[in-house]
Amino acid sequence: MAVRYRRLRRWPVCAAVGVVAGAALLAGPGHRGGSGVNEDAKTRGPVAAPGSVTAQAPTVTPAPFPAFGAYLDYSWRGVAQTDWFSRWLGGADLRVGRTYLPGDLWSNIEGAPGFLDDWADWRRERDERIFVLNVPMMERNEEGVSDAEVRYLLRRGAAGEFDVHYRRLAERLVGLGVPDTILVLGWEMNGITYTHRCGPDPEAWKAYWNRIVATMRSVPGQAFRFDFAPNRGRDAIPWTECYPGDDTVDIIGMDSYDQPQGMSFDEQVTEPYGLQDHVDFAEERGKPISYPEWGLFRNGDNAEYMRHMLDWMDEHKPLYNTLTDYCPHGVWQCGQNPQAAQVYRAVLYGRTEPVPPMPTPVPEPTPEPQPAPGCSSLDLGDWVEYWIGGEPCVRDDWWPDDWWSDDWWPDDWWSFSW
């Protein structure tokens, strides 16, 4: 399909350098992705209070369930709100956390000090959690750079000029104890929004992707997985023309929003380069799929889309999915989609990963008491407990089995003359 949309993420300059308490008063930047018609960055609606949407009875879905989460904010606030989002979902197990590196400056693409610390802490709390990080391939990534300049930059990247930035990012992630991060590198490359787009020079783009992956994989201790995630549909260029090869792609993802206006979910499945082509393309290569970004959009509060998309993911079992949860796409932080929110909450309410049964513990035999080192074998009397070098030597055979019984002790034991 032709160019359909454009969404921008407005990053404050040097926003990633540290986190201060006053940041809690600032709204995080909006995000959509893709290409086409200019669209102002969306302003988040107020955070919905847990329980503000009436839940229907939970839908029972056969396990195992796909790992899921939501994009709630790019900063530490996204970590803090994950727990509240889980409570709204009846304690559902949000195993996936996702954020973005700002694409304004190379220093931020490297992962500025302090920016990723809270996300790394969240990931390390539980082994089964998945941390997903969107990584720009160019600085000035949302500044409307011309095709000619993009082509020039892609060729510089393919020649290795920007390797140092990705080596620093890899070292930072390993140093933070999150060497298994999933990296959504150069997302939505088949659109026209981002400077890291593929269209101006697909061959240079693929060579540059491969260069970044090789650079990051060369860092000792890394276990990264690289997620190739285009927009659903053809967009500005077929995403298959940007695919860099099986050797450097671990996951084949897709960002899929409810658009364009009037398109049914069935059409989103069957359109060229749509949901079915995505699943088939990955299956042919033996790769898992993912949905790093998905949610409502051009068709408003579309409960039917929400139900079908959740069913699609339960059927095809992506490695992970993360709903984009702010207006107009979301269901918890966006109050304008109550019907879709009710469906989302009903389907995922209380959903947790199946937990394997714990093995039955085998009791260990109680060891026989042994004399402490240095105890004398001298018989000092049946009742004696004595100490040598701070260790007790006790004659256990003197005490009767019912010594604790009230019947055994005389009533006037306290006045007994020793």
Side-chain angles (χ1 to χ4, degrees), residues 124-406:
R124 293 194 310 267
E125 285 176 1
R126 287 173 49 192
D127 290 342
E128 64 271 25
R129 283 178 172 170
I130 300 171
F131 177 45
V132 181
L133 181 63
N134 280 53
V135 179
M137 293 171 67
M138 293 289 178
E139 67 174 351
R140 297 186 298 135
N141 201 36
E142 299 182 14
E143 295 186 11
V145 176
S146 69
D147 282 354
E149 187 172 359
V150 167
R151 188 178 302 111
Y152 172 64
L153 290 169
L154 289 174
R155 292 174 182 177
R156 289 170 60 190
E161 187 170 333
F162 307 135
D163 289 0
V164 62
H165 306 298
Y166 295 96
R167 185 173 295 106
R168 288 172 182 163
L169 173 60
E171 291 170 348
R172 180 149 289 154
L173 290 169
V174 171
L176 286 170
V178 286
D180 57 351
T181 299
I182 292 177
L183 304 171
V184 186
L185 182 63
W187 68 97
E188 300 179 2
M189 76 300 295
N190 57 327
I192 64 170
T193 298
Y194 300 114
T195 305
H196 66 215
R197 60 189 181 271
C198 168
D201 193 334
E203 294 307 313
W205 192 93
K206 290 184 283 188
Y208 182 31
W209 166 289
N210 291 334
R211 182 110 196 175
I212 293 173
V213 172
T215 297
M216 297 190 73
R217 284 179 175 171
S218 71
V219 172
Q222 67 81 33
F224 302 126
R225 286 177 287 179
F226 292 87
D227 192 338
F228 172 83
N231 288 313
R232 192 197 79 240
R234 186 186 188 281
D235 216 322
I237 181 175
W239 50 261
T240 53
E241 294 184 21
C242 305
Y243 186 69
D246 294 343
D247 291 343
T248 56
V249 173
D250 300 297
I251 305 162
I252 299 178
M254 177 164 281
D255 288 357
S256 184
Y257 290 87
D258 184 23
Q259 62 162 346
Q261 188 172 4
M263 177 178 274
S264 69
F265 184 81
D266 287 343
E267 290 172 310
Q268 295 177 27
V269 171
T270 59
E271 68 171 324
Y273 310 103
L275 291 173
Q276 189 62 57
D277 283 350
H278 167 230
V279 169
D280 294 343
F281 187 85
E283 185 175 358
E284 290 170 2
R285 288 155 178 79
K287 305 287 186 182
I289 62 171
S290 72
Y291 297 99
E293 293 186 35
W294 70 279
L296 304 162
F297 197 19
R298 299 293 189 192
N299 295 303
D301 184 15
N302 190 346
E304 182 180 2
Y305 163 83
M306 182 61 65
R307 184 176 295 106
H308 283 313
M309 190 64 183
L310 290 168
D311 287 345
W312 176 268
M313 290 186 289
D314 278 348
E315 177 185 355
H316 294 283
K317 305 234 173 355
L319 181 65
Y320 72 92
N321 77 81
T322 46
L323 175 78
T324 300
D325 191 63
Y326 59 80
C327 287
H329 317 298
V331 295
W332 182 58
Q333 297 184 106
C334 181
Q336 69 188 42
N337 299 314
Q339 296 182 63
Q342 186 173 6
V343 171
Y344 183 89
R345 191 170 187 238
V347 171
L348 298 179
Y349 194 88
R351 179 177 286 196
T352 59
E353 284 291 300
V355 178
M358 294 293 291
T360 303
V362 178
E364 297 183 1
T366 303
E368 292 294 330
Q370 300 295 324
C375 284
S376 170
S377 60
L378 179 66
D379 186 358
L380 299 179
D382 286 344
W383 60 272
V384 176
E385 174 181 78
Y386 57 99
W387 296 75
I388 298 178
E391 295 292 338
C393 296
V394 184
R395 290 293 302 272
D396 291 332
D397 56 346
W398 183 83
W399 295 95
D401 293 336
D402 60 346
W403 67 267
W404 50 270
S405 168
D406 291 340

Side-chain angles (χ1 to χ4, degrees), residues 97-142:
R98 185 170 67 86
T99 191
Y100 298 79
L101 290 172
D104 52 350
L105 303 170
W106 281 120
S107 58
N108 285 330
I109 296 174
E110 293 171 2
F115 183 73
L116 295 172
D117 291 11
D118 291 300
W119 290 103
D121 291 344
W122 175 88
R123 165 63 186 90
R124 293 194 310 267
E125 285 176 1
R126 287 173 49 192
D127 290 342
E128 64 271 25
R129 283 178 172 170
I130 300 171
F131 177 45
V132 181
L133 181 63
N134 280 53
V135 179
M137 293 171 67
M138 293 289 178
E139 67 174 351
R140 297 186 298 135
N141 201 36
E142 299 182 14

